[in-house]
Amino acid sequence: MKTVDIKEIFENGKESENVTIKGWIKSNRDSGKIAFLEINDGSTINNLQVVYKKEKTKGFNDVIVARTGAAVLASGEIKKTPKGEQKYELAANEVKLLKQSSEDYPLQKKQHSLEFLRDNAHLRARTTTIAAIMQVRSKLAYAIHKFFQENGFIWVASPIITSNDAEGAGENFNIENDPTKPFFDKKGKLTVSGQLNAEAYAEAFKQVYTFGPTFRAERSHTNRHMSEFWMVEPEIAFIDLQQLMLVIETFIKFIVNRINNECKDEITFFSKDKPEIKNRINELIKKEFKKIEYKKVIELLTKAIKDGHKFEDNDIFFGKDLASEHERYICEAVYKGPVFVYNYPKKIKAFYMKDNQDEEDTVAACDLLVPGVGEIVGGSQREDNYEKLIKRCHDLKMDVSSIQWYLDLRKYGYYSSAGFGLGFERLIMYILDIENIRDTIPFPRVEGNLKF
């Protein structure tokens, strides 16, 4: 008998075909002379029911005592189950216990809280919820690479160890353990962004992207923050902010559409309790992304307050760094769909963003806001003028020694460039309506917890 994945049985199986599967027990029910295994092998979030009988199935006595989590083999004939939850089941003529599971296996056949699963992160991928999230994560990562590779981008492996703070926020992890014997000629840090390195390579290849882990030493315990997370950061030479927003919209629609087509089981699973998920996905794929300037947002929020709407923070003024509640109001109550907000005040944005030289003192920056979350993408056109950029650094009292190479790019043919950053895990949160970002990454890293 040929060994197959359970996914293959559900997708291409034929009644009366003889196959062998290997997987792990989700449940083992004994009804006397007949017993039922629920088996999963990781190829799909759906379990396969295996029917095995005391009088007819070889290995019955060994497997009947197998516990949840045990590894087993089952061989037999595929049968249709028209009234069952799944299309097929396996009528076993042989079952074999490959590895018994200990009696203290934490994941018994019952509902476990997500908090409990985080404390058992080494085992939680065996649950349907986390397995579904990780399947989507994997497919989404592939879709991201596929979009860029098919559109002429070069992937750049930006460094994990760096000497610069790309955002200027000072939330770096330092990696030097012995200050009396430094390893590098500068203080080594874990990167907060691959953007600066991507800009250097965009000046050689025109279109590049980085996609990898980044780190923030933020002492934040919200459901949207982690110390280690993944960022997608493309950089494109010779484009401006308006062209960048078109790239962002095309990119988001492409990758979400791929997930919609390739993760139907996972989307269906999450949609059982949250049917709005499918509407959310369709909005991203089909709706036009509106574009409004930041100053228009301030006008809309001010009007909303005058009309009686109450925010937790009602102190609205030009120059305010918008909170999530303000962003959500704009895309949910006003535009009822994805919205680009652009031309932000310079004082609330990073040092590298291009000066618009306007009366409001804004920079060519944009955020993509989506219903339910707020911002999921931030981007900007980069300042290409060396004198303006270095003045901005000095105004912010930045130590430019670690980024002098970045500033010098402006001396060597840097005409224009624009790029954006997408928090990979935050996009997963949005697509599947996951409440805590720690459930979107295999082993979450947060302050006070480095268990795995």
Side-chain angles (χ1 to χ4, degrees), residues 181-370:
K181 190 179 179 182
F183 194 87
F184 299 106
D185 59 345
K186 297 176 182 176
K187 276 188 178 180
K189 307 170 183 178
L190 296 181
T191 185
V192 300
S193 169
Q195 178 201 315
L196 306 191
N197 307 94
E199 283 190 50
Y201 266 67
E203 297 305 305
F205 295 104
K206 192 163 71 171
Q207 298 186 133
V208 302
Y209 71 104
T210 73
F211 183 18
T214 54
F215 308 85
R216 299 282 171 91
E218 269 185 310
R219 297 186 183 275
S220 176
H221 294 271
T222 76
N223 65 346
R224 300 180 73 221
H225 289 85
M226 290 189 294
S227 300
E228 178 183 334
F229 54 96
W230 283 57
M231 287 287 289
V232 183
E233 297 177 290
E235 192 71 27
I236 309 168
F238 304 118
I239 69 167
D240 60 19
L241 183 65
Q242 294 298 321
Q243 292 167 311
L244 177 68
M245 287 190 279
L246 179 60
V247 172
I248 295 171
E249 182 170 352
T250 305
F251 167 70
I252 293 293
K253 288 181 184 299
F254 177 89
I255 61 175
V256 175
N257 189 50
R258 290 277 303 188
I259 294 305
N260 195 40
N261 291 333
E262 297 190 7
C263 296
K264 294 186 183 299
D265 287 344
E266 290 78 11
I267 292 170
T268 298
F269 171 75
F270 284 106
S271 297
K272 286 178 182 177
D273 295 326
K274 299 178 179 180
E276 67 275 10
I277 287 175
K278 291 187 177 180
N279 292 332
R280 176 179 286 190
I281 290 171
N282 286 329
E283 271 193 347
L284 280 179
I285 296 170
K286 296 177 180 178
K287 271 200 171 183
E288 177 192 354
F289 293 7
K290 301 296 184 182
K291 299 179 179 67
I292 61 168
E293 289 194 83
Y294 169 89
K295 63 183 177 182
K296 178 67 174 176
V297 171
I298 298 301
E299 292 172 7
L300 291 168
L301 294 174
T302 301
K303 183 179 184 303
I305 293 170
K306 286 181 179 177
D307 291 343
H309 188 90
K310 292 185 179 180
F311 297 103
E312 287 186 19
D313 182 356
N314 274 337
D315 186 19
I316 303 298
F317 55 91
F318 190 92
K320 183 179 185 64
D321 198 356
L322 302 176
S324 178
E325 62 172 336
H326 305 132
E327 296 171 337
R328 290 184 60 179
Y329 176 83
I330 294 301
C331 56
E332 292 172 13
V334 181
Y335 290 98
K336 297 179 174 57
V339 180
F340 280 110
V341 177
Y342 66 99
N343 288 348
Y344 280 85
K346 181 194 294 186
K347 67 180 183 180
I348 62 172
K349 288 297 182 180
F351 75 95
Y352 49 74
M353 297 182 179
K354 186 171 180 62
D355 188 346
N356 283 328
Q357 294 184 286
D358 55 5
E359 291 182 5
E360 290 92 358
D361 203 17
T362 65
V363 289
C366 68
D367 288 337
L368 176 60
L369 314 181
V370 293

Side-chain angles (χ1 to χ4, degrees), residues 20-66:
T20 296
I21 62 166
K22 294 177 183 177
W24 296 273
I25 294 176
K26 295 292 184 177
S27 71
N28 190 4
R29 294 183 290 115
D30 180 11
S31 299
K33 293 184 178 181
I34 187 170
F36 304 89
L37 290 171
E38 291 285 330
I39 296 179
N40 192 281
D41 65 358
S43 63
T44 171
I45 63 170
N46 299 314
N47 302 329
L48 179 68
Q49 179 170 274
V50 175
V51 182
Y52 65 115
K53 300 178 180 180
K54 187 171 186 178
E55 304 299 332
K56 295 184 178 181
T57 306
K58 181 181 177 183
F60 180 94
N61 291 332
D62 292 331
V63 172
I64 200 66
V65 296

Side-chain angles (χ1 to χ4, degrees), residues 60-123:
F60 180 94
N61 291 332
D62 292 331
V63 172
I64 200 66
V65 296
R67 292 183 282 266
T68 300
V72 293
L73 173 150
S75 297
E77 189 177 341
I78 297 174
K79 300 280 190 181
K80 278 192 175 180
T81 53
K83 293 183 180 179
E85 205 171 295
Q86 300 298 338
K87 183 179 178 181
Y88 294 114
E89 65 183 20
L90 188 70
N93 53 45
E94 180 181 6
V95 288
K96 184 182 294 186
L97 178 59
L98 301 176
K99 186 73 174 182
Q100 178 65 291
S101 179
S102 172
E103 290 184 1
D104 63 355
Y105 179 62
L107 306 182
Q108 296 303 314
K109 187 175 172 56
K110 64 178 182 178
Q111 192 73 24
H112 295 289
S113 71
L114 290 171
E115 185 176 2
F116 172 83
L117 294 178
R118 285 175 217 131
D119 288 334
N120 290 275
H122 58 311
L123 299 172

